[in-house]
Amino acid sequence: NIMKGYWNQLEATAAVLRDGWFHTGDMGRMDEDGFLYITGRKKELIVLSNGKKVAPTEVEAILQREPAIEQAVVYGDQRNYLTALIVPNWSRVRQALPHLTGRDEDLATHPEVLAWFQRRIDQQQAHLSSWEQVKRFFLRARPFSPETGELTVSLKLRREVIFEKHAADWARLYEDEAKG
């Protein structure tokens, strides 16, 4: 009952209305009580080199359950494994590691901070299949924002912008993959 089709656009209508259903491109799951939860967009699916498909928004949500992770972006299309860009909650990092001082930019590459995050990431994704787990990550000192072009005004990730801006960082995470 939402619509019968797009006005004077038979091809566009045929592309989205099939068998009486409006195909939005959203992915979801239904819980045991019959409630529908939107979990991501079909166009955002990551297809790993082994053919396994991963919804990045689900993995990102799992990572962001860790209070020290403010934002996360998962990457890995046509790669052997998933990687992530993590924006820490720096106040929580400083609470947990009070002996470390310095700017956020310096802490983002500090070996102790990286090891601390690795443990937390491993805990958050312990229940996931191995191919759904983030294997490597890098930290970013500043959060994404609409001003940087990495978020929309409604605060949704602009993945392509983030992937492009951090292409060198993503490439470093896959250096061992290139060596074979």
Side-chain angles (χ1 to χ4, degrees):
N1 286 344
I2 294 175
M3 68 174 200
K4 291 182 180 182
Y6 294 113
W7 180 257
N8 292 328
Q9 296 182 27
L10 296 177
E11 287 181 27
T13 298
V16 297
L17 290 180
R18 293 187 302 277
D19 301 322
W21 290 95
F22 181 56
H23 292 258
T24 63
D26 290 318
M27 296 183 338
R29 67 174 175 81
M30 213 167 283
D31 71 9
E32 60 277 353
D33 296 320
F35 290 99
L36 176 64
Y37 293 86
I38 303 298
T39 58
R41 300 276 304 151
K42 195 172 184 180
K43 69 179 182 179
E44 291 180 341
L45 272 182
I46 292 172
V47 181
L48 298 172
S49 60
N50 63 8
K52 298 283 189 183
K53 294 179 180 162
V54 181
T57 53
E58 289 184 41
V59 177
E60 291 160 358
I62 289 166
L63 293 174
Q64 289 173 139
R65 288 182 195 149
E66 162 56 52
I69 296 178
E70 192 171 309
Q71 295 170 316
V73 179
V74 173
Y75 182 81
D77 203 44
Q78 298 304 312
R79 299 295 195 147
N80 292 333
Y81 53 88
L82 295 177
T83 56
L85 184 164
I86 304 290
V87 178
N89 177 322
W90 290 110
S91 63
R92 292 205 184 254
V93 173
R94 285 185 168 81
Q95 285 174 354
L97 304 169
H99 59 284
L100 296 179
T101 59
R103 302 175 313 136
D104 296 347
E105 291 80 3
D106 299 327
L107 293 177
T109 58
H110 193 285
E112 190 173 346
V113 173
L114 294 171
W116 186 80
F117 267 100
Q118 185 67 64
R119 290 190 299 276
R120 268 136 197 84
I121 290 169
D122 291 345
Q123 288 172 350
Q124 288 301 314
Q125 58 184 6
H127 68 284
L128 297 175
S129 299
S130 64
W131 49 270
E132 294 175 299
Q133 294 181 10
V134 168
K135 304 293 187 220
R136 301 184 73 194
F137 67 94
F138 63 98
L139 301 178
R140 176 185 158 123
R142 299 281 163 246
F144 304 124
S145 72
E147 294 75 30
T148 63
E150 295 159 322
L151 293 180
T152 66
V153 291
S154 61
L155 305 181
K156 292 183 182 97
L157 292 173
R158 295 185 67 206
R159 292 178 186 283
E160 293 307 317
V161 172
I162 294 167
F163 295 157
E164 186 177 313
K165 276 188 165 186
H166 298 282
D169 296 310
W170 297 113
R172 276 192 290 280
L173 296 179
Y174 289 104
E175 284 176 351
D176 61 331
E177 185 182 59
K179 295 174 187 172

